[in-house]
Amino acid sequence: MKRIRISVAALALLVCTLTFGSTAWAGPQWCEEDPVFLVNGAIVDVSTQFSGAYASSISGSVHYDLQVPSNVLAVVVSLPGTVPVTASISRTLPAYWGLLRIPVVVTVSMKSSQTFTHYTTVTGLAGSVFNSVYGTSTYPTKAKFYMYGL
């Protein structure tokens, strides 16, 4: 009797496994380049995303140029990414003498053998989120925003 129960349980397990098994479906692979800057003591996280299918078409690196006022302190904190990432800070904007609302411009550029769309999001602006800016791989994308600072 015990053998019959074990056989029935094993058969039931096999039927359940074959009946309820399903295939896993995955979405597209994404590349996310995510450099972090420090501007007047506030963290600014810039994130650029594009389909992973285009990662091999990028020659060189994805470059971020952070433009800040000439009297503002800004440094690059980290440069993580799936493809090589570089960053520079340009103090090309007019000097800032106010309280709050520091003007900042981020330019994202890359050299690619294919044209594709990417989008850039800037966060860490004292709790606010900048909406995504869409761009293409063949033309530099600029995101202009204001951030809190002293």
Side-chain angles (χ1 to χ4, degrees):
M1 191 60 139
K2 190 173 184 178
R3 276 193 202 166
I4 295 174
R5 281 191 233 161
I6 292 175
S7 298
V8 169
L11 184 62
L13 179 64
L14 180 64
V15 169
C16 287
T17 303
L18 295 175
T19 304
F20 296 120
S22 64
T23 330
W25 295 92
Q29 180 72 28
W30 287 95
C31 285
E32 182 174 6
E33 313 319 313
D34 195 23
V36 177
F37 298 91
L38 184 68
V39 179
N40 263 14
I43 295 289
V44 177
D45 185 14
V46 182
S47 176
T48 300
Q49 296 179 348
F50 54 89
S51 173
Y54 299 113
S56 62
S57 71
I58 296 176
S59 58
S61 64
V62 176
H63 182 72
Y64 294 85
D65 182 41
L66 186 74
Q67 298 174 20
V68 297
S70 59
N71 61 341
V72 168
L73 175 66
V75 294
V76 179
V77 176
S78 69
L79 295 171
T82 18
V83 297
V85 178
T86 58
S88 62
I89 295 176
S90 303
R91 290 174 175 80
T92 56
L93 300 178
Y96 171 76
W97 300 106
L99 291 175
L100 308 174
R101 297 193 47 86
I102 298 173
V104 180
V105 178
V106 174
T107 304
V108 180
S109 58
M110 61 187 84
K111 291 181 183 175
S112 175
S113 59
Q114 295 180 343
T115 301
F116 57 89
T117 303
H118 62 83
Y119 65 94
T120 300
T121 305
V122 181
T123 57
L125 312 173
S128 64
V129 176
F130 183 78
N131 290 331
S132 295
V133 174
Y134 288 86
T136 63
S137 60
T138 56
Y139 189 75
T141 303
K142 285 191 178 192
K144 299 177 184 179
F145 58 92
Y146 292 91
M147 60 175 287
Y148 293 143
L150 300 174

